[in-house]
Amino acid sequence: MRETRSARLRAVVRRARYRLAQPVVPAAVLLTFLLLGHRWLPNRAGHLGSLVETFLPWLGTAVPVLLRALAGRSPRAMLPVLVPAMVWTMMFGGMPAGAGPGPATAGDLKVLQHNVSDENRDPAGSARALARAGRT
């Protein structure tokens, strides 16, 4: 009798894992489309496109959650989750470590401010002055 209980329990656990893993593939596909197609989201009602772009780097946190939902399954079942993981890594992988050539040094950044108004009688002279300031 004890063996049948444990067998039933294992069957229940297998079914529960299967049910939990069912939405993983559509979620992985949606995550991949959000990462790759975020530029095509409309920015009209509710500024959805801007909102998604704001949280785009943080969408990578969904990958470990999706992998955890597939824990204990075959490695082949995890392939759909590896696609958004690779896309995210290609997009943002170098950012935390600093993808630039090195630390900034003095003189790397020049800031120029010019207030334009309708009272400026010599816009061409202002443009020349701005161009000269950019060369130094």
Side-chain angles (χ1 to χ4, degrees):
M1 185 165 223
R2 185 173 244 196
E3 292 176 0
T4 54
R5 276 188 179 169
S6 63
R8 279 188 272 168
L9 184 59
R10 281 193 300 267
V12 168
V13 168
R14 268 195 309 268
R15 283 193 301 268
R17 278 189 186 166
Y18 180 75
R19 278 191 224 124
L20 287 174
Q22 279 181 333
V24 170
V25 172
V29 169
L30 177 65
L31 182 60
T32 303
F33 280 125
L34 279 176
L35 288 169
L36 291 175
H38 64 92
R39 290 189 178 115
W40 295 299
L41 287 174
N43 204 19
R44 290 183 187 89
H47 302 288
L48 180 65
S50 178
L51 182 66
V52 168
E53 285 190 0
T54 300
F55 291 102
L56 204 56
W58 294 103
L59 288 178
T61 59
V63 171
V65 173
L66 294 175
L67 284 173
R68 178 66 181 122
L70 292 176
R73 299 191 58 93
S74 71
R76 205 170 82 187
M78 293 186 185
L79 286 177
V81 179
L82 294 179
V83 173
M86 288 188 302
V87 169
W88 185 90
T89 302
M90 288 188 315
M91 290 174 72
F92 302 107
M95 284 187 165
T105 59
D108 282 347
L109 176 66
K110 291 183 182 182
V111 178
L112 178 68
Q113 178 181 353
H114 180 71
N115 295 328
V116 179
S117 74
D118 59 347
E119 296 175 5
N120 186 358
R121 298 186 194 277
D122 187 18
S126 295
R128 283 192 298 274
L130 290 172
R132 278 194 305 272
R135 287 189 210 131
T136 59

